[in-house]
Amino acid sequence: AISLRTRGVYFIMITLAFAQMIYYVFVSLKTYGGDDGLTLAERSSIGLITDLKGDAHFYYACLAVLALAIALLARLRRSPFGRALEAVKINETRAEAIGFPVYRIKLVCFVLAAAFAGLAGALIANQNNFVSPGLMHWTQSGMLMVMIIVGGLGHLLGGLIGAAFLLLLEELLSAHTEHWQLALGVILLGIVLF
């Protein structure tokens, strides 16, 4: 709610500041493993589906969650709220002038993004049987932003395409050189510039 009262670079800086504060809170919580993280005894059970211990079952459960999330976002995009969100994205001042509650629309969008991020965090914790504060570090946010930018801002499947491209590129480059991060950085810079 506080972050949404800022714009541009200030918005980026304040959200990063809040993320770093939360990161350091979790690093200092020794009850939950602190900097070492927390090992989970077993994977969570989901309602009627209780056999998620096998990797294949867990993969299909994650795939179903992804498909459901994309379907919900596609439906949301076509809804009146999605149209209002598109109007706010195109011209915030004009949307406010014609009566859209811009602040509330942006807040709902922020909360939805946080809910999906929390769902993704629960899935990765179950995949690894481990929760680490490193997942909350600012570099993780930066990597997610790179995935979205590479995949295409404003496209529903942009993040998915960007993640697949980036992970595939990382695997290919790391197989050929130990300095793969430098090559990856140059490629990403080229994508952003051109």
Tab-separated table of all heavy atoms in Angstrom, residues 58-112:
chain	number	residue	atom	x	y	z
A	58	PHE	N	4.186	-35.082	-8.485
A	58	PHE	CA	4.397	-33.683	-8.115
A	58	PHE	C	4.515	-32.811	-9.367
A	58	PHE	O	3.989	-31.707	-9.416
A	58	PHE	CB	5.647	-33.538	-7.246
A	58	PHE	CG	5.855	-32.139	-6.741
A	58	PHE	CD1	5.013	-31.606	-5.789
A	58	PHE	CD2	6.870	-31.351	-7.246
A	58	PHE	CE1	5.183	-30.309	-5.325
A	58	PHE	CE2	7.053	-30.056	-6.799
A	58	PHE	CZ	6.207	-29.538	-5.836
A	59	TYR	N	5.185	-33.324	-10.397
A	59	TYR	CA	5.311	-32.579	-11.657
A	59	TYR	C	3.933	-32.294	-12.248
A	59	TYR	O	3.645	-31.161	-12.652
A	59	TYR	CB	6.168	-33.375	-12.655
A	59	TYR	CG	6.131	-32.793	-14.041
A	59	TYR	CD1	6.882	-31.673	-14.367
A	59	TYR	CD2	5.324	-33.357	-15.029
A	59	TYR	CE1	6.844	-31.128	-15.635
A	59	TYR	CE2	5.277	-32.824	-16.293
A	59	TYR	CZ	6.035	-31.708	-16.597
A	59	TYR	OH	5.982	-31.168	-17.848
A	60	TYR	N	3.078	-33.311	-12.309
A	60	TYR	CA	1.752	-33.116	-12.893
A	60	TYR	C	0.877	-32.204	-12.036
A	60	TYR	O	0.050	-31.459	-12.558
A	60	TYR	CB	1.076	-34.461	-13.164
A	60	TYR	CG	1.720	-35.175	-14.335
A	60	TYR	CD1	2.381	-36.376	-14.161
A	60	TYR	CD2	1.694	-34.604	-15.612
A	60	TYR	CE1	2.996	-37.011	-15.228
A	60	TYR	CE2	2.303	-35.236	-16.681
A	60	TYR	CZ	2.959	-36.442	-16.485
A	60	TYR	OH	3.566	-37.058	-17.544
A	61	ALA	N	1.072	-32.261	-10.724
A	61	ALA	CA	0.338	-31.335	-9.852
A	61	ALA	C	0.785	-29.893	-10.123
A	61	ALA	O	-0.048	-28.989	-10.219
A	61	ALA	CB	0.560	-31.691	-8.387
A	62	CYS	N	2.105	-29.679	-10.285
A	62	CYS	CA	2.615	-28.338	-10.603
A	62	CYS	C	2.131	-27.881	-11.970
A	62	CYS	O	1.781	-26.706	-12.161
A	62	CYS	CB	4.140	-28.319	-10.557
A	62	CYS	SG	4.812	-28.443	-8.904
A	63	LEU	N	2.106	-28.799	-12.937
A	63	LEU	CA	1.619	-28.466	-14.275
A	63	LEU	C	0.149	-28.068	-14.234
A	63	LEU	O	-0.272	-27.118	-14.896
A	63	LEU	CB	1.844	-29.657	-15.209
A	63	LEU	CG	1.638	-29.410	-16.698
A	63	LEU	CD1	2.616	-28.360	-17.209
A	63	LEU	CD2	1.811	-30.717	-17.463
A	64	ALA	N	-0.645	-28.777	-13.427
A	64	ALA	CA	-2.061	-28.444	-13.268
A	64	ALA	C	-2.226	-27.070	-12.611
A	64	ALA	O	-3.086	-26.277	-13.020
A	64	ALA	CB	-2.769	-29.517	-12.441
A	65	VAL	N	-1.397	-26.773	-11.609
A	65	VAL	CA	-1.448	-25.454	-10.960
A	65	VAL	C	-1.089	-24.360	-11.952
A	65	VAL	O	-1.740	-23.309	-12.005
A	65	VAL	CB	-0.521	-25.415	-9.721
A	65	VAL	CG1	-0.338	-24.002	-9.204
A	65	VAL	CG2	-1.075	-26.303	-8.620
A	66	LEU	N	-0.066	-24.598	-12.777
A	66	LEU	CA	0.326	-23.623	-13.801
A	66	LEU	C	-0.804	-23.393	-14.800
A	66	LEU	O	-1.129	-22.243	-15.121
A	66	LEU	CB	1.586	-24.096	-14.532
A	66	LEU	CG	2.027	-23.234	-15.712
A	66	LEU	CD1	2.457	-21.850	-15.241
A	66	LEU	CD2	3.147	-23.914	-16.476
A	67	ALA	N	-1.412	-24.473	-15.297
A	67	ALA	CA	-2.513	-24.344	-16.250
A	67	ALA	C	-3.687	-23.594	-15.635
A	67	ALA	O	-4.295	-22.722	-16.286
A	67	ALA	CB	-2.946	-25.722	-16.734
A	68	LEU	N	-4.000	-23.896	-14.393
A	68	LEU	CA	-5.088	-23.209	-13.702
A	68	LEU	C	-4.773	-21.726	-13.508
A	68	LEU	O	-5.632	-20.863	-13.721
A	68	LEU	CB	-5.367	-23.875	-12.355
A	68	LEU	CG	-6.519	-23.315	-11.532
A	68	LEU	CD1	-7.838	-23.488	-12.275
A	68	LEU	CD2	-6.584	-23.987	-10.174
A	69	ALA	N	-3.537	-21.419	-13.144
A	69	ALA	CA	-3.132	-20.019	-12.953
A	69	ALA	C	-3.217	-19.248	-14.265
A	69	ALA	O	-3.722	-18.112	-14.300
A	69	ALA	CB	-1.714	-19.951	-12.385
A	70	ILE	N	-2.758	-19.848	-15.359
A	70	ILE	CA	-2.831	-19.170	-16.663
A	70	ILE	C	-4.282	-18.980	-17.084
A	70	ILE	O	-4.655	-17.920	-17.592
A	70	ILE	CB	-2.021	-19.963	-17.718
A	70	ILE	CG1	-0.534	-19.823	-17.419
A	70	ILE	CG2	-2.334	-19.468	-19.129
A	70	ILE	CD1	0.351	-20.686	-18.265
A	71	ALA	N	-5.128	-19.990	-16.854
A	71	ALA	CA	-6.547	-19.868	-17.194
A	71	ALA	C	-7.214	-18.756	-16.379
A	71	ALA	O	-8.000	-17.962	-16.917
A	71	ALA	CB	-7.262	-21.193	-16.967
A	72	LEU	N	-6.900	-18.685	-15.084
A	72	LEU	CA	-7.471	-17.634	-14.240
A	72	LEU	C	-7.016	-16.249	-14.689
A	72	LEU	O	-7.816	-15.299	-14.748
A	72	LEU	CB	-7.086	-17.856	-12.776
A	72	LEU	CG	-7.827	-18.957	-12.036
A	72	LEU	CD1	-7.186	-19.209	-10.675
A	72	LEU	CD2	-9.288	-18.609	-11.878
A	73	LEU	N	-5.729	-16.123	-15.024
A	73	LEU	CA	-5.219	-14.829	-15.473
A	73	LEU	C	-5.801	-14.440	-16.828
A	73	LEU	O	-6.081	-13.250	-17.065
A	73	LEU	CB	-3.691	-14.848	-15.525
A	73	LEU	CG	-3.004	-14.875	-14.168
A	73	LEU	CD1	-1.503	-15.075	-14.332
A	73	LEU	CD2	-3.294	-13.602	-13.382
A	74	ALA	N	-6.001	-15.404	-17.716
A	74	ALA	CA	-6.615	-15.107	-19.015
A	74	ALA	C	-8.055	-14.642	-18.825
A	74	ALA	O	-8.506	-13.687	-19.469
A	74	ALA	CB	-6.558	-16.337	-19.914
A	75	ARG	N	-8.759	-15.299	-17.930
A	75	ARG	CA	-10.152	-14.895	-17.645
A	75	ARG	C	-10.196	-13.517	-16.994
A	75	ARG	O	-11.035	-12.688	-17.330
A	75	ARG	CB	-10.809	-15.938	-16.757
A	75	ARG	CG	-12.272	-15.686	-16.526
A	75	ARG	CD	-12.946	-16.923	-16.007
A	75	ARG	NE	-14.297	-16.664	-15.620
A	75	ARG	CZ	-15.339	-16.758	-16.435
A	75	ARG	NH1	-15.154	-17.106	-17.680
A	75	ARG	NH2	-16.552	-16.520	-16.005
A	76	LEU	N	-9.269	-13.283	-16.070
A	76	LEU	CA	-9.187	-11.982	-15.405
A	76	LEU	C	-8.891	-10.875	-16.410
A	76	LEU	O	-9.453	-9.780	-16.333
A	76	LEU	CB	-8.114	-12.016	-14.321
A	76	LEU	CG	-7.905	-10.723	-13.553
A	76	LEU	CD1	-9.057	-10.510	-12.582
A	76	LEU	CD2	-6.596	-10.741	-12.814
A	77	ARG	N	-8.049	-11.177	-17.376
A	77	ARG	CA	-7.673	-10.186	-18.387
A	77	ARG	C	-8.860	-9.761	-19.237
A	77	ARG	O	-8.931	-8.621	-19.688
A	77	ARG	CB	-6.575	-10.788	-19.251
A	77	ARG	CG	-5.862	-9.817	-20.101
A	77	ARG	CD	-4.720	-10.514	-20.785
A	77	ARG	NE	-3.815	-9.524	-21.330
A	77	ARG	CZ	-2.717	-9.803	-21.947
A	77	ARG	NH1	-2.355	-11.058	-22.093
A	77	ARG	NH2	-1.966	-8.866	-22.438
A	78	ARG	N	-9.784	-10.702	-19.486
A	78	ARG	CA	-10.965	-10.403	-20.303
A	78	ARG	C	-12.113	-9.809	-19.487
A	78	ARG	O	-13.117	-9.393	-20.048
A	78	ARG	CB	-11.438	-11.661	-21.010
A	78	ARG	CG	-10.495	-12.147	-22.086
A	78	ARG	CD	-11.089	-13.307	-22.873
A	78	ARG	NE	-11.518	-14.418	-22.035
A	78	ARG	CZ	-10.774	-15.466	-21.716
A	78	ARG	NH1	-9.528	-15.536	-22.159
A	78	ARG	NH2	-11.254	-16.432	-20.966
A	79	SER	N	-11.987	-9.793	-18.173
A	79	SER	CA	-13.053	-9.294	-17.299
A	79	SER	C	-13.061	-7.764	-17.285
A	79	SER	O	-12.110	-7.121	-17.746
A	79	SER	CB	-12.840	-9.825	-15.877
A	79	SER	OG	-11.746	-9.168	-15.283
A	80	PRO	N	-14.115	-7.157	-16.732
A	80	PRO	CA	-14.126	-5.688	-16.596
A	80	PRO	C	-12.943	-5.166	-15.775
A	80	PRO	O	-12.393	-4.110	-16.086
A	80	PRO	CB	-15.462	-5.417	-15.890
A	80	PRO	CG	-16.330	-6.560	-16.282
A	80	PRO	CD	-15.412	-7.743	-16.382
A	81	PHE	N	-12.536	-5.929	-14.754
A	81	PHE	CA	-11.371	-5.523	-13.973
A	81	PHE	C	-10.122	-5.519	-14.849
A	81	PHE	O	-9.282	-4.629	-14.761
A	81	PHE	CB	-11.166	-6.444	-12.765
A	81	PHE	CG	-9.910	-6.142	-12.002
A	81	PHE	CD1	-9.836	-5.053	-11.154
A	81	PHE	CD2	-8.785	-6.947	-12.158
A	81	PHE	CE1	-8.672	-4.757	-10.458
A	81	PHE	CE2	-7.613	-6.668	-11.463
A	81	PHE	CZ	-7.564	-5.566	-10.621
A	82	GLY	N	-9.975	-6.529	-15.705
A	82	GLY	CA	-8.831	-6.602	-16.608
A	82	GLY	C	-8.805	-5.445	-17.582
A	82	GLY	O	-7.748	-4.886	-17.891
A	83	ARG	N	-9.971	-5.056	-18.058
A	83	ARG	CA	-10.058	-3.901	-18.967
A	83	ARG	C	-9.686	-2.616	-18.230
A	83	ARG	O	-9.000	-1.752	-18.775
A	83	ARG	CB	-11.462	-3.780	-19.566
A	83	ARG	CG	-11.904	-4.970	-20.355
A	83	ARG	CD	-11.110	-5.109	-21.614
A	83	ARG	NE	-11.617	-6.244	-22.368
A	83	ARG	CZ	-10.934	-6.890	-23.258
A	83	ARG	NH1	-9.700	-6.521	-23.539
A	83	ARG	NH2	-11.445	-7.913	-23.890
A	84	ALA	N	-10.141	-2.499	-16.989
A	84	ALA	CA	-9.790	-1.319	-16.191
A	84	ALA	C	-8.286	-1.292	-15.924
A	84	ALA	O	-7.650	-0.230	-15.989
A	84	ALA	CB	-10.566	-1.325	-14.877
A	85	LEU	N	-7.712	-2.440	-15.668
A	85	LEU	CA	-6.270	-2.533	-15.439
A	85	LEU	C	-5.496	-2.139	-16.701
A	85	LEU	O	-4.484	-1.442	-16.623
A	85	LEU	CB	-5.902	-3.958	-15.003
A	85	LEU	CG	-4.476	-4.204	-14.564
A	85	LEU	CD1	-4.105	-3.314	-13.383
A	85	LEU	CD2	-4.302	-5.663	-14.186
A	86	GLU	N	-6.005	-2.553	-17.863
A	86	GLU	CA	-5.379	-2.171	-19.130
A	86	GLU	C	-5.457	-0.650	-19.328
A	86	GLU	O	-4.496	-0.024	-19.773
A	86	GLU	CB	-6.083	-2.890	-20.287
A	86	GLU	CG	-5.455	-2.668	-21.627
A	86	GLU	CD	-4.161	-3.435	-21.813
A	86	GLU	OE1	-3.959	-4.448	-21.130
A	86	GLU	OE2	-3.345	-3.005	-22.642
A	87	ALA	N	-6.593	-0.060	-18.954
A	87	ALA	CA	-6.734	1.397	-19.067
A	87	ALA	C	-5.754	2.115	-18.149
A	87	ALA	O	-5.138	3.118	-18.543
A	87	ALA	CB	-8.168	1.810	-18.733
A	88	VAL	N	-5.569	1.602	-16.942
A	88	VAL	CA	-4.622	2.202	-15.996
A	88	VAL	C	-3.203	2.067	-16.536
A	88	VAL	O	-2.394	2.983	-16.420
A	88	VAL	CB	-4.761	1.553	-14.595
A	88	VAL	CG1	-3.625	1.955	-13.683
A	88	VAL	CG2	-6.103	1.914	-13.985
A	89	LYS	N	-2.900	0.934	-17.146
A	89	LYS	CA	-1.562	0.714	-17.704
A	89	LYS	C	-1.279	1.691	-18.854
A	89	LYS	O	-0.193	2.248	-18.943
A	89	LYS	CB	-1.443	-0.725	-18.203
A	89	LYS	CG	-0.128	-1.035	-18.866
A	89	LYS	CD	-0.153	-2.434	-19.452
A	89	LYS	CE	1.012	-2.633	-20.384
A	89	LYS	NZ	0.840	-3.788	-21.240
A	90	ILE	N	-2.259	1.904	-19.714
A	90	ILE	CA	-2.057	2.762	-20.887
A	90	ILE	C	-1.934	4.227	-20.485
A	90	ILE	O	-1.017	4.920	-20.914
A	90	ILE	CB	-3.204	2.565	-21.902
A	90	ILE	CG1	-3.103	1.156	-22.494
A	90	ILE	CG2	-3.147	3.618	-22.996
A	90	ILE	CD1	-4.285	0.767	-23.342
A	91	ASN	N	-2.875	4.703	-19.655
A	91	ASN	CA	-2.842	6.114	-19.260
A	91	ASN	C	-3.527	6.260	-17.897
A	91	ASN	O	-4.750	6.356	-17.808
A	91	ASN	CB	-3.538	6.991	-20.310
A	91	ASN	CG	-3.279	8.459	-20.089
A	91	ASN	OD1	-3.073	8.910	-18.966
A	91	ASN	ND2	-3.296	9.211	-21.175
A	92	GLU	N	-2.710	6.274	-16.872
A	92	GLU	CA	-3.217	6.311	-15.499
A	92	GLU	C	-4.027	7.574	-15.219
A	92	GLU	O	-5.081	7.524	-14.580
A	92	GLU	CB	-2.030	6.212	-14.542
A	92	GLU	CG	-2.401	5.968	-13.118
A	92	GLU	CD	-1.171	5.742	-12.254
A	92	GLU	OE1	-0.250	5.028	-12.674
A	92	GLU	OE2	-1.168	6.291	-11.141
A	93	THR	N	-3.542	8.701	-15.700
A	93	THR	CA	-4.228	9.978	-15.454
A	93	THR	C	-5.606	9.995	-16.109
A	93	THR	O	-6.592	10.422	-15.495
A	93	THR	CB	-3.367	11.142	-15.995
A	93	THR	OG1	-2.061	11.034	-15.446
A	93	THR	CG2	-3.974	12.479	-15.630
A	94	ARG	N	-5.690	9.523	-17.345
A	94	ARG	CA	-6.972	9.491	-18.043
A	94	ARG	C	-7.938	8.514	-17.374
A	94	ARG	O	-9.129	8.803	-17.238
A	94	ARG	CB	-6.759	9.116	-19.510
A	94	ARG	CG	-8.039	9.225	-20.328
A	94	ARG	CD	-7.806	8.919	-21.782
A	94	ARG	NE	-6.885	9.898	-22.336
A	94	ARG	CZ	-6.208	9.714	-23.450
A	94	ARG	NH1	-6.337	8.597	-24.123
A	94	ARG	NH2	-5.398	10.642	-23.904
A	95	ALA	N	-7.421	7.352	-16.935
A	95	ALA	CA	-8.271	6.371	-16.263
A	95	ALA	C	-8.851	6.951	-14.980
A	95	ALA	O	-10.024	6.735	-14.659
A	95	ALA	CB	-7.474	5.104	-15.966
A	96	GLU	N	-8.032	7.708	-14.253
A	96	GLU	CA	-8.525	8.340	-13.025
A	96	GLU	C	-9.540	9.433	-13.345
A	96	GLU	O	-10.533	9.592	-12.632
A	96	GLU	CB	-7.345	8.916	-12.243
A	96	GLU	CG	-7.678	9.263	-10.820
A	96	GLU	CD	-6.430	9.458	-9.983
A	96	GLU	OE1	-5.389	9.871	-10.527
A	96	GLU	OE2	-6.520	9.171	-8.785
A	97	ALA	N	-9.306	10.146	-14.435
A	97	ALA	CA	-10.221	11.235	-14.818
A	97	ALA	C	-11.608	10.714	-15.208
A	97	ALA	O	-12.603	11.395	-14.985
A	97	ALA	CB	-9.620	12.037	-15.972
A	98	ILE	N	-11.673	9.505	-15.769
A	98	ILE	CA	-12.993	8.980	-16.152
A	98	ILE	C	-13.644	8.151	-15.045
A	98	ILE	O	-14.704	7.585	-15.236
A	98	ILE	CB	-12.926	8.168	-17.465
A	98	ILE	CG1	-12.008	6.966	-17.345
A	98	ILE	CG2	-12.554	9.044	-18.632
A	98	ILE	CD1	-12.023	6.054	-18.564
A	99	GLY	N	-12.992	8.104	-13.877
A	99	GLY	CA	-13.642	7.531	-12.710
A	99	GLY	C	-13.141	6.197	-12.222
A	99	GLY	O	-13.721	5.626	-11.289
A	100	PHE	N	-12.093	5.658	-12.802
A	100	PHE	CA	-11.563	4.401	-12.296
A	100	PHE	C	-10.837	4.638	-10.975
A	100	PHE	O	-10.070	5.592	-10.859
A	100	PHE	CB	-10.574	3.776	-13.290
A	100	PHE	CG	-11.217	3.141	-14.486
A	100	PHE	CD1	-10.931	3.608	-15.753
A	100	PHE	CD2	-12.085	2.072	-14.347
A	100	PHE	CE1	-11.513	3.029	-16.861
A	100	PHE	CE2	-12.670	1.486	-15.452
A	100	PHE	CZ	-12.381	1.975	-16.711
A	101	PRO	N	-11.053	3.771	-9.989
A	101	PRO	CA	-10.297	3.879	-8.726
A	101	PRO	C	-8.887	3.306	-8.911
A	101	PRO	O	-8.615	2.156	-8.566
A	101	PRO	CB	-11.130	3.054	-7.748
A	101	PRO	CG	-11.812	2.037	-8.609
A	101	PRO	CD	-12.035	2.696	-9.943
A	102	VAL	N	-8.007	4.117	-9.474
A	102	VAL	CA	-6.682	3.672	-9.903
A	102	VAL	C	-5.894	3.032	-8.762
A	102	VAL	O	-5.314	1.958	-8.923
A	102	VAL	CB	-5.897	4.840	-10.539
A	102	VAL	CG1	-4.461	4.460	-10.806
A	102	VAL	CG2	-6.575	5.283	-11.821
A	103	TYR	N	-5.889	3.674	-7.612
A	103	TYR	CA	-5.110	3.144	-6.489
A	103	TYR	C	-5.616	1.759	-6.084
A	103	TYR	O	-4.826	0.840	-5.865
A	103	TYR	CB	-5.164	4.106	-5.297
A	103	TYR	CG	-4.434	3.588	-4.093
A	103	TYR	CD1	-3.045	3.623	-4.039
A	103	TYR	CD2	-5.117	3.029	-3.023
A	103	TYR	CE1	-2.364	3.130	-2.947
A	103	TYR	CE2	-4.443	2.535	-1.925
A	103	TYR	CZ	-3.069	2.587	-1.890
A	103	TYR	OH	-2.398	2.081	-0.814
A	104	ARG	N	-6.929	1.594	-6.001
A	104	ARG	CA	-7.492	0.296	-5.608
A	104	ARG	C	-7.209	-0.772	-6.660
A	104	ARG	O	-6.927	-1.925	-6.320
A	104	ARG	CB	-8.999	0.416	-5.373
A	104	ARG	CG	-9.326	1.069	-4.063
A	104	ARG	CD	-10.749	0.881	-3.644
A	104	ARG	NE	-11.673	0.692	-4.746
A	104	ARG	CZ	-12.883	1.200	-4.797
A	104	ARG	NH1	-13.331	1.952	-3.829
A	104	ARG	NH2	-13.667	0.968	-5.817
A	105	ILE	N	-7.285	-0.408	-7.930
A	105	ILE	CA	-7.006	-1.365	-9.005
A	105	ILE	C	-5.560	-1.838	-8.917
A	105	ILE	O	-5.272	-3.032	-9.000
A	105	ILE	CB	-7.300	-0.732	-10.378
A	105	ILE	CG1	-8.807	-0.565	-10.560
A	105	ILE	CG2	-6.705	-1.555	-11.511
A	105	ILE	CD1	-9.204	0.245	-11.781
A	106	LYS	N	-4.655	-0.902	-8.708
A	106	LYS	CA	-3.240	-1.262	-8.600
A	106	LYS	C	-2.979	-2.098	-7.341
A	106	LYS	O	-2.170	-3.030	-7.367
A	106	LYS	CB	-2.378	0.003	-8.601
A	106	LYS	CG	-2.314	0.659	-9.969
A	106	LYS	CD	-1.752	2.046	-9.976
A	106	LYS	CE	-0.356	2.186	-9.513
A	106	LYS	NZ	0.174	3.551	-9.644
A	107	LEU	N	-3.663	-1.798	-6.255
A	107	LEU	CA	-3.495	-2.562	-5.024
A	107	LEU	C	-3.988	-3.995	-5.194
A	107	LEU	O	-3.319	-4.944	-4.762
A	107	LEU	CB	-4.226	-1.871	-3.863
A	107	LEU	CG	-4.044	-2.497	-2.488
A	107	LEU	CD1	-2.580	-2.466	-2.077
A	107	LEU	CD2	-4.891	-1.760	-1.453
A	108	VAL	N	-5.131	-4.176	-5.840
A	108	VAL	CA	-5.643	-5.528	-6.093
A	108	VAL	C	-4.668	-6.294	-6.980
A	108	VAL	O	-4.386	-7.470	-6.739
A	108	VAL	CB	-7.054	-5.470	-6.738
A	108	VAL	CG1	-7.471	-6.832	-7.278
A	108	VAL	CG2	-8.075	-4.966	-5.736
A	109	CYS	N	-4.119	-5.624	-7.980
A	109	CYS	CA	-3.141	-6.252	-8.864
A	109	CYS	C	-1.891	-6.672	-8.090
A	109	CYS	O	-1.359	-7.767	-8.283
A	109	CYS	CB	-2.785	-5.276	-9.989
A	109	CYS	SG	-1.767	-6.001	-11.261
A	110	PHE	N	-1.438	-5.818	-7.206
A	110	PHE	CA	-0.267	-6.103	-6.361
A	110	PHE	C	-0.541	-7.310	-5.469
A	110	PHE	O	0.316	-8.191	-5.331
A	110	PHE	CB	0.011	-4.864	-5.500
A	110	PHE	CG	1.450	-4.547	-5.289
A	110	PHE	CD1	2.207	-3.975	-6.292
A	110	PHE	CD2	2.049	-4.783	-4.068
A	110	PHE	CE1	3.535	-3.659	-6.090
A	110	PHE	CE2	3.385	-4.483	-3.845
A	110	PHE	CZ	4.126	-3.915	-4.856
A	111	VAL	N	-1.724	-7.376	-4.873
A	111	VAL	CA	-2.091	-8.485	-3.983
A	111	VAL	C	-2.192	-9.793	-4.774
A	111	VAL	O	-1.731	-10.842	-4.315
A	111	VAL	CB	-3.404	-8.177	-3.234
A	111	VAL	CG1	-3.953	-9.393	-2.522
A	111	VAL	CG2	-3.184	-7.042	-2.251
A	112	LEU	N	-2.776	-9.730	-5.980
A	112	LEU	CA	-2.857	-10.928	-6.813
A	112	LEU	C	-1.468	-11.430	-7.193
A	112	LEU	O	-1.200	-12.636	-7.162
A	112	LEU	CB	-3.669	-10.642	-8.081
A	112	LEU	CG	-5.177	-10.569	-7.911
A	112	LEU	CD1	-5.833	-10.097	-9.198
A	112	LEU	CD2	-5.735	-11.915	-7.493
